[in-house]
Amino acid sequence: MVPLFRAILAGGSLRDRVVASAGGLAGIVITAAVSFLLLKDMAPLPMIVAPMGASAVLVFAVPASPLAQPWPVIGGNIISALVGITVGRLVPDVALAAGVAVGAAILIMSLLRCLHPPGGAAALTAVVGGPAVVSAGYLFALVPVGINAVLLTLAGLLFHRFSHHSYPHRAPSLPQQIDRVSDPHPEDIDRALADLGETFDISPEDLALLVARVSHHARIRSGQGRRRGAR
């Protein structure tokens, strides 16, 4: 029988998903309500943009992800919107402009260390968002995109003070009882990642900590097995 809930994220429990859902609800309500109060005179511009929904998933469901940190949320959305506006002005064909905007946003976010998947949606919105977005020009990147992103980040900072998750995320220090000689060297982590040829949604520091903890518990289990075998 297939269980009702089976985590696809390492460490993701049903409790964490319920907490994330509550966080997403609160974060979007706060962002939308405050944006409406601040931007009510800016019609017909939208008061909250669709990429914030995707940003909320990252901020509240995977707050340890490098893609969910404050700089990627704020910088990724604003920079991508600026890219989309620029491309929309330079490339007359909408279909081509949409693709160029998203591709350029990925590149620029990567170079500026603020890669954020919803940024692709912000860039696309700047191209296909309609007359109100086009007429707003570069202001759209700040109003409403920038204001939305800042408010959502502040909501995340507040919410995670009570969620038992660190945000902005900081990898915890290794406990003293772990044999630090056996800790993986950063170069070992880089080489292992190069061997696999994949990109994982976890920072190298967290990955090193995870490997060290796995080694620690493996040594404990091995020692317990030897003691049982000696009896």
Side-chain angles (χ1 to χ4, degrees):
M1 180 178 178
V2 178
L4 179 63
F5 175 81
R6 176 180 292 173
I8 61 171
L9 294 173
S13 66
L14 179 57
R15 176 192 174 279
D16 277 337
R17 299 310 95 188
V18 172
V19 170
S21 177
L25 186 157
I28 291 297
V29 167
I30 291 171
T31 301
V34 177
S35 293
F36 270 83
L37 289 174
L38 295 176
L39 307 177
K40 58 185 178 181
D41 296 328
M42 299 296 293
L45 278 174
M47 299 298 100
I48 185 170
V49 291
M52 293 305 114
S55 293
V57 174
L58 290 168
V59 170
F60 297 101
V62 283
S65 169
L67 307 178
Q69 302 314 298
W71 169 234
V73 174
I74 298 171
N77 277 301
I78 293 175
I79 290 167
S80 295
L82 291 171
V83 170
I85 295 163
T86 301
V87 171
R89 292 186 169 193
L90 297 177
V91 181
D93 183 81
V94 175
L96 179 59
V100 172
V102 173
I106 292 172
L107 176 61
I108 294 175
M109 284 190 292
S110 299
L111 293 174
L112 296 179
R113 299 178 61 83
C114 59
L115 186 64
H116 186 61
L124 187 60
T125 302
V127 173
V128 301
V133 172
V134 172
S135 64
Y138 287 102
L139 178 64
F140 175 73
L142 298 178
V143 180
V145 174
I147 290 176
N148 288 172
V150 169
L151 289 172
L152 186 67
T153 300
L154 291 175
L157 291 169
L158 178 62
F159 181 82
H160 286 303
R161 290 177 65 91
F162 306 98
S163 72
H164 305 296
H165 293 291
S166 65
Y167 188 79
H169 178 68
R170 296 290 183 272
S173 58
L174 287 169
Q176 291 298 317
Q177 65 266 29
I178 290 182
D179 179 11
R180 303 192 70 87
V181 175
S182 65
D183 294 347
H185 192 278
E187 289 184 3
D188 299 330
I189 297 293
D190 290 340
R191 288 170 181 162
L193 290 171
D195 289 343
L196 295 173
E198 297 287 351
T199 300
F200 297 94
D201 192 8
I202 182 173
S203 70
E205 295 79 11
D206 280 322
L207 186 57
L209 176 62
L210 178 62
V211 171
R213 290 301 296 174
V214 169
S215 299
H216 172 68
H217 288 292
R219 288 194 297 272
I220 293 175
R221 180 172 51 80
S222 177
Q224 291 172 342
R226 286 195 296 269
R227 287 194 294 272
R228 284 195 295 267
R231 292 175 184 174

